[in-house]
Amino acid sequence: MPKSVVNPEFLPILEKMPSFDGLSSLSLPEVREVFLTSVRLIEGRPLPDVITREEYVPGLNNAPDVRVVVYTPREVQPNAPAMVYIHGGGLVSGHPEVDDPKCQKLASDLGFQIFSVDYRLAPEVKYPGAIEDCYAVLKWVHENARKLGISRDKVVVAGESAGGGLSAALSLMARDKKEYKLAFQLLIYPMLDDRTAINSDPGANFGEFVWTRSANKYAWQAYLGDKAGGPQTPPYAAAGRATDLAGLPPTFIGVGSMDLFLKEDLYYATRLMAAAVPTEVMVVPGAYHVFDMYVPDAELSRRFMDAYCAALKRTLNL
């Protein structure tokens, strides 16, 4: 797909972007440096009306405590809505601070208390480490809701890329365990299906920029091992594998028209609708993976964020 198809506002950053191709030939520190190099392109300024702090949440099944970065509006309302936010990074890299600008803006604009999960990364910790860390935070948020000043009826899960995939898996896990109820899932260009890593037909021109086929294959193999793409992947590892989507919370799925995940995301959205889950979908024209993080002030990036914020407001009656 030629660069001429890329929205002009998203073009300049491509020249500075490191290549995610060939990750399998790098050492793990080198792989994470590629991610960090891309993160350094993101500029954010702290918002004075949002307070940031750390918490440590007990892990599941004797796992280590999970670090959580909490974003709270300085003028927090009683029974505030809460968001469990899950960062991206291909399951092998990243940390909550990557999403400081987005989480601060969401907390400021919508009045959310946001709990961003510092989950354990692959390949050191493979599945189910990351999803269990996310569930541990969801559990802690619900069980401490009164002390935190949040409403158990307005807890949502959100994340981008790998974090979007973990968010979808967390929604499935919460539905199945029946311990905690989610009010909404916000899936931002989510990484949903390990079969895309081995499938030659996600669309010949998708995934040419930023997050590529080879990067995706590396990430899924780091998380699942040699079984990635095979018949035995459980839905809590890759939500696209779930056969029953009924009973999931209202959903927003957003993705760029040039994203490797476009096909799997639209398919998941279609299946959610078929399962009678209220679902809104937005495809951003001329947008590659994580376009909104790198060019947040572009018109289409602002429209994208406005759309999912509006969906949150409608669903939660904010």
Side-chain angles (χ1 to χ4, degrees), residues 99-273:
D99 295 301
D100 269 346
K102 184 180 295 180
C103 288
Q104 288 195 30
K105 184 166 177 55
L106 289 171
S108 175
D109 291 356
L110 299 179
F112 274 93
Q113 289 200 54
I114 298 179
F115 304 86
S116 189
V117 186
D118 194 3
Y119 56 88
R120 288 170 292 168
L121 300 173
E124 296 96 330
V125 179
K126 296 186 184 299
Y127 171 80
I131 189 62
E132 289 189 345
D133 288 350
C134 295
Y135 193 84
V137 175
L138 179 66
K139 172 184 167 90
W140 179 83
V141 166
H142 273 86
E143 294 182 353
N144 292 275
R146 180 173 294 182
K147 182 175 71 174
L148 293 166
I150 60 176
S151 169
R152 289 186 180 90
D153 296 327
K154 293 184 177 181
V155 177
V156 310
V157 62
E160 87 281 344
S161 194
L166 286 167
S167 296
L170 183 59
S171 293
L172 289 166
M173 186 176 282
R175 178 200 64 182
D176 295 345
K177 286 180 175 286
K178 297 181 171 65
E179 294 177 321
Y180 314 110
K181 186 174 176 61
L182 289 169
F184 194 86
Q185 59 173 346
L186 170 57
L187 310 181
I188 303 172
Y189 32 79
M191 180 180 174
L192 295 171
D193 200 326
D194 60 310
R195 289 169 295 193
T196 300
I198 63 166
N199 190 339
S200 61
D201 185 33
N205 293 317
F206 300 126
E208 184 173 343
F209 304 117
V210 187
W211 192 247
T212 62
R213 296 166 188 248
S214 66
N216 198 45
K217 183 176 182 179
Y218 172 88
W220 278 116
Q221 288 180 339
Y223 190 50
L224 299 175
D226 293 337
K227 296 180 180 179
Q232 302 303 320
T233 300
Y236 299 155
R241 298 298 197 117
T243 56
D244 178 13
L245 302 185
L248 288 171
T251 303
F252 182 100
I253 295 180
V255 63
S257 67
M258 305 174 73
D259 198 310
L260 179 66
F261 299 147
L262 176 68
K263 190 172 182 179
E264 67 188 66
D265 290 355
L266 293 181
Y267 182 54
Y268 197 71
T270 301
R271 292 177 57 225
L272 284 166
M273 294 175 200

Side-chain angles (χ1 to χ4, degrees), residues 19 28 42 53-54 64 70 78 81 92-93 98 119 128 150 164 173 176 192 198 253 266 274 276 280 288 317:
S19 173
L28 189 57
I42 303 169
R53 71 179 192 278
E54 286 185 341
V70 184
V92 300
S93 186
V98 169
Y119 56 88
I150 60 176
M173 186 176 282
D176 295 345
L192 295 171
I198 63 166
I253 295 180
L266 293 181
E280 182 175 346
Y288 45 74
N317 295 314

Side-chain angles (χ1 to χ4, degrees), residues 16 38-46 101-102 293-294 296-297:
K16 305 175 185 177
S38 68
V39 167
R40 292 184 191 111
L41 299 175
I42 303 169
E43 295 182 2
R45 300 177 185 84
K102 184 180 295 180
M293 291 182 67
Y294 291 116
D297 293 329

Side-chain angles (χ1 to χ4, degrees), residues 81 110-112 154 309 312-318:
L110 299 179
F112 274 93
K154 293 184 177 181
C309 286
L312 283 164
K313 289 178 180 178
R314 280 195 308 272
T315 306
L316 275 65
N317 295 314
L318 299 179

